[in-house]
Structure formats: C-alpha cells, structure tokens
Amino acid sequence: MAIRETWATRIGFILAAVGSAVGLGNIWRFPFLTAESGGAAFLVAYLFLVAVIGLPVMLVEFVIGRESKQNVVDAFPEIGAPTWKFIGAIGALAGFVILSYYSVVGGWVIQYMVGSLTGGYAGNAEAFFGSAAEGTNALAYDLLFMAIVAAIVSFGVRDGLERAAKVMIPSVVGLLVLLAAYGATLSGASEGYAYYLSPDLSTLVGDAIALLPDAAGQAFFTLSLGMGVMITYASYLGEDRNMLRDSLLIVVVDTSIAILAGLAVFPFLFAQGVDPGTGGVGTTFVGLASAFGSLPAGQVVGFVFFAMLFLAALTSAFSILEVIVSFTIDTFDVDRKPATVAIAAVIFLVGVPTAMSLDYLTLYDAIANRILLIGGGLLLAIFGGWFYASGAREELQKGMPGGETLTTAWIWILRIPVVLVLAYVLYTGIIEVAGIVAGM
Ligand code: PHE
Ligand code: NA
C-alpha cells in the first residue's frame, strides 16, 4: 500500500475541511429551508444544533481519523473496533446518495452561470428554473459537474484538494460579503432581515422544537458530518494539531457563511416580492435569478454569484468523492485515477432520477439528510461516547494539553443529549421518508 499523503501545510487541512463544509448547503439549502420553515425560528434551532450536536460529532470524526490514519471503513478495525466498520459503510453509502444529487444542483449552478452571461433568466426566472432543473439539461450539466469533480479528485490530496481549496474559499467569502452589502441597499432589505432574523418570541420555543428534525439534517449536511468526510480528512493530519480549535474554526466559518448567504438572499427575495414560503428547492434559484434579472448590473452580479456558488459546490463535492475514493484505493489496491473515474460514473448513474425529476431530488435529499447522516451521527456519538471514550479522550488531548475538563464534558454531551436528540431526529426522518415514498 502506498505511503499515506499528509497535508502539505497546516492551513491546507483547515482550508480543505472548510471547503468541504462550505457549499450548496450554506448557499442553496440553508436559505431555502429557512425560507420555507418560516424564517428566524429555524435559524435559532439550527444554531443550537450546530453548537450542541454538530461540534461534538465533528470531534468524534476527527479523533477516529487522526488516530487510525485510515479511510472511513478501515479506521474502525485500526483503533480496535472492527465491529463498528459498518459506520464507515453507511458513510460511503451516504456519499453515493448525496453526491448523486449534489452534482445535479451543481449542474443547475453551471446553467445559471451561463444564463447570467446570456441573459437567459432575465424576466423569466420561473421558466428558466423549470427547464434547467429537471430533464435533459439537468442531466447534461450534472454530467459536466461530475466530470470536473472527478478530474480534481484524481490529482490526489496535495495537488488536487488542497490547492483548489486554497483559492476557492477566500474568493467565496469575499464575493458573499460583496453581495450581502449590495443586498443591504435594496428596498426589500429590512423586510427580508425581519423575516430572517427576528423570531416571534411568544412562540419561539415551540416553533424551534418543531423545526428540530429539519434543522438537525441541515446541521449535519452543512458541516459535512455523519458520513466520514472529517474522518478521511483528519486521517491526513499530524499529531500536534489542537483539534478542538480546528473544529471550532470550521464550525464558525461554515455557520458565518450560511448566515451571510441568508443576509444576501433574503433582501433579494423580498425586493422582488417573492413569497419565501412557497418555492421549495427552487427558492434560492428562482428568487435570486428574478432579483438579478431586474437589477441594474444584474448580469454581472448574477454571474459573480453563481461562479462563487460553483466554486463552493466543487470543494464540497470533491470531499464526498474523496471519502469513497480513499476507501476504494486502500481496499482494492487500485490506482487513484481509474478508481475515481469508475466511482464517479456509478454515482452519476445513481443520480439520473434526481436529474429527471425534482420529486426524486427531494426524496434523495430526505434519505441522505434525515436518515443516513443522522443515523451515521447517532452511531458515531454512541461509539465515541460509550465504546471508545477513553481512546477518544486520549487522542483529543494530544494537541490540547490540560484539556481534561473539556474532554470530560465532551464525552458526556455525546453520551446523553446528542444520542437522545439524534435518536428522535432519526425516528422522525424515517416517518418523513416513508411519507414521501407513499405519496409518490
Ligand atoms: N457540507 C456541504 C455543503 O454544505 C455538503 C456535504 C455534505 C459535503 C456531506 C460533504 C458531506 O454544501
Ligand atoms: Na456547509
């Protein structure tokens, strides 16, 4: 077996992990879910779950990855827990499902980049979304997006992932700040901010609890948790890193970018009089395209926005493919390039229904976020909190001398609150998905 690569620079790991986290989850999924869930109460539930559930589960992935230095599946036997290998298998399965439709949405983004330049969506945002989102256009651009992702992954960790993330992440942040600032000058800005940021305090607790399952799915999706991305990335990591500090940084950056995306999207939606509650998966695209289409320099702003979204989606998509490729290379002792091409082809085929119909896209999205990632997170919390607790503590403390109290708190948060909340969310997810299937 080849010697395992490590990150070329310290900042390389952070950038790649942030690159995985920041993506369509922040800029497409977070705004549309927040919009359709009634706004600020969803934001509150989401922020709570990111901090209380997301961060502890991310640390479990980090300790498993760094101690084992293995792919998602072999990580478990390597740290003395061979029976837990199936967590890695669920992770790989989640990767197939997520990337299969993630690349469809990535393909929409490419169509919107082109549409910005040609003026294709100006004045007919609904119709443009209709022809872009399902059918042969969606399928063709899905394939294009997938091919670009596979090309990057085939270059390997140091030359591919790290180099790409270094350029992409700073540009994403810079462009979003510009767009949010631009949005602030629009006439709908204050209405948008009110919907997005001021919860109805009299019903907040009940609303937030009702939104917990959706918010949990979003928290896992946006932080790339529950399927072993962070196991895989931490497997390339040296012993001296303070992983609590690293994970805090990743969570703060990802969350800030989601909040920033909302600050950009909601003013545009309200300036256009778009009803935020009705759009579903198309909200972000229809709302923004109709906004861009009618603004002064709209073509330029639109192109900049979608180019940025494309970059963010790429860094996330290749993290998903990397999980599966890394496992395949180690297990079957094959070369990176053929492994990457073969896996990308299978994922593309799995995603064909999601390119042909939004109903399938919604179904895959629910299976991934409400069942597979949450189930993976639940198992990781049980494993890390109960079965591997002493190993986990020791590994976390390596780069964090004197952190005994914090590690103890972490283990207990995993053991009880995280396990209980995720078990409940998984239960609601199974009911939700069964309902979607029954209604198809
Ligand atoms: N976190 C990514 C996003 O927000 C999506 C993702 C999910 C990436 C799961 C990897 C694993 O877009
Ligand atoms: Na994200």
Side-chain angles (χ1 to χ4, degrees):
M1 193 191 293
I3 293 173
R4 211 166 174 79
E5 294 176 273
T6 54
W7 300 103
T9 56
R10 312 181 121 240
I11 193 78
F13 165 72
I14 294 289
L15 283 172
V18 168
S20 169
V22 176
L24 295 169
N26 308 59
I27 299 163
W28 160 67
R29 200 172 187 277
F30 171 74
F32 97 69
L33 257 187
T34 306
E36 88 184 359
S37 309
F42 182 83
L43 179 62
V44 171
Y46 162 78
L47 291 176
F48 171 79
L49 287 165
V50 161
V52 176
I53 312 284
L55 185 66
V57 172
M58 185 179 288
L59 283 171
V60 174
E61 293 205 19
F62 278 180
V63 295
I64 294 171
R66 188 173 69 180
E67 184 179 348
S68 67
K69 308 252 181 297
Q70 294 290 332
N71 63 70
V72 266
V73 177
D74 296 322
F76 292 91
E78 185 70 24
I79 58 176
T83 44
W84 293 83
K85 257 180 132 165
F86 70 99
I87 297 184
I90 295 174
L93 175 67
F96 276 90
V97 176
I98 294 177
L99 189 51
S100 80
Y101 78 89
Y102 203 89
S103 63
V104 171
V105 183
W108 299 354
V109 175
I110 300 176
Q111 295 181 75
Y112 275 83
M113 285 167 70
V114 177
S116 302
L117 295 177
T118 60
Y121 57 68
N124 65 346
E126 298 269 350
F128 188 87
F129 183 74
S131 79
E134 353 177 55
T136 47
N137 284 343
L139 195 62
Y141 283 93
D142 171 19
L143 184 61
L144 175 61
F145 185 86
M146 200 65 206
I148 297 170
V149 175
I152 297 175
V153 170
S154 66
F155 285 110
V157 169
R158 193 174 292 192
D159 293 336
L161 305 193
E162 194 169 335
R163 188 180 295 169
K166 251 184 211 160
V167 184
M168 290 176 188
I169 296 309
S171 20
V172 166
V173 173
L175 291 173
L176 261 186
V177 170
L178 279 179
L179 286 172
Y182 186 30
T185 67
L186 301 178
S187 63
S190 57
E191 237 186 312
Y193 296 148
Y195 185 82
Y196 177 41
L197 300 172
S198 343
D200 177 350
L201 291 177
S202 62
T203 59
L204 176 61
V205 175
D207 291 348
I209 290 175
L211 295 167
L212 216 64
D214 265 330
Q218 174 60 18
F220 271 68
F221 184 80
T222 193
L223 295 173
S224 307
L225 292 181
M227 58 156 287
V229 168
M230 297 303 172
I231 294 178
T232 303
Y233 277 18
S235 76
Y236 305 113
L237 194 60
E239 302 295 317
D240 52 346
R241 296 291 304 205
N242 180 334
M243 294 189 292
L244 178 61
R245 212 173 48 199
D246 286 353
S247 59
L248 267 173
L249 183 68
I250 294 162
V251 167
V252 167
V253 171
D254 183 76
T255 307
S256 309
I257 292 178
I259 292 174
L260 202 55
L263 288 176
V265 168
F266 280 96
F268 283 104
L269 286 177
F270 278 80
Q272 289 308 112
V274 175
D275 176 355
T278 56
V281 295
T283 305
T284 309
F285 287 91
V286 173
L288 286 167
S290 61
F292 293 138
S294 67
L295 287 172
Q299 275 183 285
V300 177
V301 185
F303 180 77
V304 168
F305 185 87
F306 291 113
M308 172 209 66
L309 189 51
F310 173 68
L311 296 182
L314 267 187
T315 50
S316 301
F318 67 50
S319 76
I320 303 174
L321 190 53
E322 174 63 17
V323 169
I324 305 169
V325 166
S326 153
F327 157 70
T328 308
I329 293 173
D330 293 352
T331 306
F332 302 105
D333 203 14
V334 286
D335 288 337
R336 179 171 273 274
K337 284 196 170 83
T340 305
V341 172
I343 292 163
V346 173
I347 293 176
F348 171 74
L349 290 176
V350 171
V352 168
T354 68
M356 301 314 287
S357 135
L358 288 179
D359 290 341
Y360 275 96
L361 190 130
T362 307
L363 174 66
Y364 278 41
D365 182 72
I367 292 172
N369 297 301
R370 300 293 302 277
I371 296 182
L372 295 174
L373 295 186
I374 297 294
L378 175 60
L379 291 166
L380 285 165
I382 295 172
F383 175 68
W386 293 100
F387 290 86
Y388 166 63
S390 60
R393 290 189 59 135
E394 195 185 312
E395 186 61 33
L396 183 61
Q397 281 175 11
K398 272 184 193 160
M400 206 175 83
E404 277 83 11
T405 319
L406 274 177
T407 29
T408 304
W410 168 53
I411 294 294
W412 280 100
I413 291 170
L414 287 172
R415 285 186 174 174
I416 300 177
V418 175
V419 168
L420 289 178
V421 171
L422 291 180
Y424 165 71
V425 172
L426 179 61
Y427 164 77
T428 64
I430 292 169
I431 292 176
E432 166 89 13
V433 169
I436 297 179
V437 172
M440 282 183 98

